[in-house]
Amino acid sequence: MQEKKIKFTDVLFVGLAFFASYFGAGNLIFPPMLGLQSGSNWLSGMIGMLASGVGLPILAIIVLGMCGSVQKISDHVNKKFYTVMIGAIMILCCCVSIPRTAAVGIEMGLQGIWPGAPYLVFVIIYFAIAFLFAKDRGTALDNVGKILTPVMTIILFILVVKGAVSPIGTPGAASVDNAFVNSFLGGYSTGDVLVSFLAAGVFFDSIKRKGYEGEAFRKAHVRACLIAAVCLAIVYGGLLYMGACVSTEYTPDSISNANLLLSIIRSSGGQIAIYGLCLSVVLACLTTAISQITAVADFYETATHGKLSYKVLVMIVPIVTTIVASFGLDTIVSLTSPWFSFFYPITLVITPINDIATQMDMLGNVEETGYCSQDSSMCWYFENSELKTKVKGTFSIDKVLRTKIENILLKMISFWQQFFFRDLMENGKLRNFGVPVPDVPDSNSQRDSQQDTKQDAPQDDPDDEPSEDSAEDDTEE
């Protein structure tokens, strides 16, 4: 079957949908504060933020794409681990992540333009729109990538480039001892690694629906991830640097995350920039909410084996998140960090475990024809008491692991030779089991040993030998 040619537009829209799914509430309000804390050490702070906020999520989704699903990785921990962990993350989305998108979108976006906008009314409208996009599982992510994300991306790029080219101030002294560590840990608050795990199935399905399978799927998937990574890095880095530029005017304790962002954008581009920011905030939050609602509904439909259908779940999730979002942004954010700090290390651990587990699985696929990976094979055999190897194709096995396997094989054959030929053949133990064994001629050492035994044996005195007469008498008696 001929591999499908990858279209740039397909990869672009999927990559933008990835970017939109990652880029939501926390991705806007946290980088400027990290920049404010980093001050003149903004570059190391930016590296830390990009490592945890971009590198880890993109690496996670790439690994998941190569493996095929989250379940294939988590099954190496425990067969029920996938259901328990991802189910807990989905509950976290319903109680924290998705409601936070609505709170930020309305408080920072809509009320930034219209301060008197009724919060609860627009929370309901917000999730009604999210439902309309998410109700069709097959087109949800495509519509996000083609309709909502391009507008949001253009606005954000204009704001970030303007702030970077014409900075509104000079970075001052850092308010933290280690800007890299502080920003790296701050990147946890974006929750993007968790997004990789909970939305992986939706991401992969959107690519496969375009007809990409096998190697074409892997190539399209990696390219889409790179597009998302570039977009995230530009926006994160720009916002962090803009926050560092006002470190002489504000301190982290004197201003909130939301007010800091609004102040920076207003100083950089005036009221027009505020309108652009507010629109991009609403779009960023809405796109993330759509992808996460889709992921939650898709997961629980599978977990319940279809007892709860996607259409039912995609209506229940917005209702639950509307109730939670009614408590406001500050309450939701206060609940966020502890949960993300709990789940992040777990997801980071089980991601690299997969590579080790893959090699261990390969050990279980040894057949008579050789030691096989997906597209190649390795065969060990003995020839003239020497272990030799035949390799077909490019064999994916660690050199240290291969050396260990070969050492084990050498020891096994050595032990077997000693046991079989010495204990079973030469000592004749097989005869005890009724197995016919050919006579094995004595070795030189055995003959020498027998000669030594004869020499050491005591010699009888001729005088002690019985005479022929006495022997005859014994016979007569």
Side-chain angles (χ1 to χ4, degrees):
M1 183 178 179
Q2 188 176 3
E3 181 180 308
K4 181 178 178 179
K5 186 177 179 181
I6 300 175
K7 296 181 180 179
F8 175 75
T9 53
D10 288 345
V11 174
L12 176 63
F13 288 131
V14 172
L16 290 176
F18 281 14
F19 165 63
S21 299
Y22 286 122
F23 193 83
N27 310 63
L28 276 169
I29 64 177
F30 290 114
M33 181 58 72
L34 294 175
L36 180 65
Q37 295 169 340
S38 301
S40 58
N41 296 331
W42 61 268
L43 183 57
S44 60
M46 182 182 297
I47 295 173
M49 172 69 181
L50 296 182
S52 61
V54 179
L56 294 180
I58 296 301
L59 178 62
I61 197 67
I62 289 176
V63 171
L64 291 171
M66 292 179 176
C67 299
S69 68
V70 178
Q71 190 167 5
K72 288 185 178 179
I73 292 182
S74 58
D75 278 353
H76 296 294
V77 181
N78 187 278
K79 292 296 182 182
K80 295 182 179 180
F81 184 82
Y82 169 77
T83 303
V84 174
M85 179 188 169
I86 303 302
I89 293 176
M90 295 299 179
I91 293 174
L92 177 65
C93 285
C94 293
C95 298
V96 177
S97 183
I98 301 175
R100 189 181 68 174
T101 66
V104 173
I106 294 170
E107 291 187 20
M108 289 184 54
L110 185 61
Q111 291 181 345
I113 303 174
W114 181 15
Y119 177 79
L120 185 57
V121 172
F122 280 98
V123 166
I124 297 173
I125 296 174
Y126 176 92
F127 282 114
I129 296 173
F131 164 75
L132 292 176
F133 274 88
K135 67 177 183 177
D136 188 348
R137 176 168 38 189
T139 60
L141 209 60
D142 284 343
N143 291 334
V144 167
K146 293 179 180 180
I147 301 173
L148 300 178
T149 310
V151 178
M152 177 193 72
T153 305
I154 292 172
I155 295 173
L156 288 173
F157 278 17
I158 293 174
L159 295 176
V160 167
V161 171
K162 173 64 170 58
V165 173
S166 303
I168 57 178
T170 303
S175 60
V176 292
D177 295 332
N178 192 318
F180 174 85
V181 173
N182 180 68
S183 296
F184 185 89
L185 296 177
Y188 275 29
S189 298
T190 63
D192 287 344
V193 170
L194 303 184
V195 173
S196 297
F197 276 75
L198 67 91
V202 179
F203 289 169
F204 304 154
D205 186 63
S206 67
I207 298 176
K208 292 178 180 179
R209 284 178 180 273
K210 297 181 183 298
Y212 297 107
E213 298 289 345
E215 187 63 25
F217 168 81
R218 287 188 285 272
K219 290 180 180 179
H221 168 248
V222 171
R223 293 177 188 179
C225 289
L226 293 178
I227 291 175
V230 171
C231 293
L232 288 170
I234 291 174
V235 177
Y236 284 0
L239 290 174
L240 187 143
Y241 176 70
M242 293 169 72
C245 289
V246 296
S247 56
T248 56
E249 299 181 25
Y250 303 104
T251 62
D253 297 332
S254 64
I255 191 170
S256 66
N257 291 345
N259 289 333
L260 175 62
L261 178 61
L262 291 172
S263 176
I264 290 172
I265 297 300
R266 183 178 288 106
S267 300
S268 177
Q271 192 61 30
I272 295 178
I274 291 294
Y275 291 149
L277 173 66
C278 293
L279 179 58
S280 63
V281 165
V282 174
L283 292 175
C285 295
L286 184 60
T287 53
T288 301
I290 294 169
S291 65
Q292 292 189 13
I293 290 172
T294 304
V296 171
D298 182 73
F299 170 80
Y300 282 112
E301 181 188 43
T302 303
T304 60
H305 304 288
K307 293 179 180 178
L308 290 176
S309 67
Y310 178 86
K311 292 183 177 180
V312 172
L313 289 164
V314 84
M315 289 188 291
I316 294 175
V317 174
I319 294 173
V320 174
T321 53
T322 299
I323 296 172
V324 178
S326 64
F327 291 101
L329 178 61
D330 292 338
T331 302
I332 297 172
V333 171
S334 66
L335 299 173
T336 301
S337 295
W339 286 103
F340 285 157
S341 298
F342 174 77
F343 282 108
Y344 251 61
I346 299 175
T347 55
L348 295 180
V349 166
I350 68 173
T351 302
I353 274 180
N354 179 69
D355 184 62
I356 300 172
T358 300
Q359 290 190 358
M360 298 308 295
D361 283 346
M362 290 164 60
L363 288 174
N365 294 330
V366 179
E367 300 176 357
E368 294 181 358
T369 55
Y371 178 53
C372 301
S373 64
Q374 183 177 358
D375 301 317
S376 56
S377 64
M378 177 179 288
C379 176
W380 285 288
Y381 63 97
F382 280 91
E383 184 177 305
N384 297 327
S385 301
E386 181 182 354
L387 181 66
K388 295 186 177 182
T389 308
K390 285 184 179 180
V391 180
K392 178 182 178 182
T394 303
F395 197 83
S396 54
I397 184 173
D398 185 80
K399 184 178 180 180
V400 175
L401 179 60
R402 174 178 171 177
T403 302
K404 289 181 179 179
I405 295 172
E406 292 177 347
N407 289 337
I408 292 173
L409 292 174
L410 288 171
K411 290 180 180 179
M412 287 174 61
I413 195 65
S414 176
F415 291 149
W416 170 248
Q417 288 173 340
Q418 294 179 30
F419 172 73
F420 185 80
F421 290 103
R422 184 187 65 194
D423 296 341
L424 297 184
M425 295 292 291
E426 292 184 357
N427 294 340
K429 290 184 178 180
L430 283 177
R431 291 191 178 93
N432 297 335
F433 301 100
V435 179
V437 178
D439 293 332
V440 180
D442 292 338
S443 61
N444 293 332
S445 60
Q446 289 177 317
R447 287 197 298 269
D448 294 341
S449 176
Q450 292 173 356
Q451 291 176 0
D452 293 341
T453 303
K454 291 180 180 180
Q455 292 175 1
D456 295 339
Q459 301 293 328
D460 295 333
D461 190 339
D463 296 337
D464 294 337
E465 294 180 359
S467 62
E468 294 180 359
D469 294 340
S470 62
E472 292 176 357
D473 295 338
D474 294 337
T475 305
E476 292 177 356
E477 293 177 359

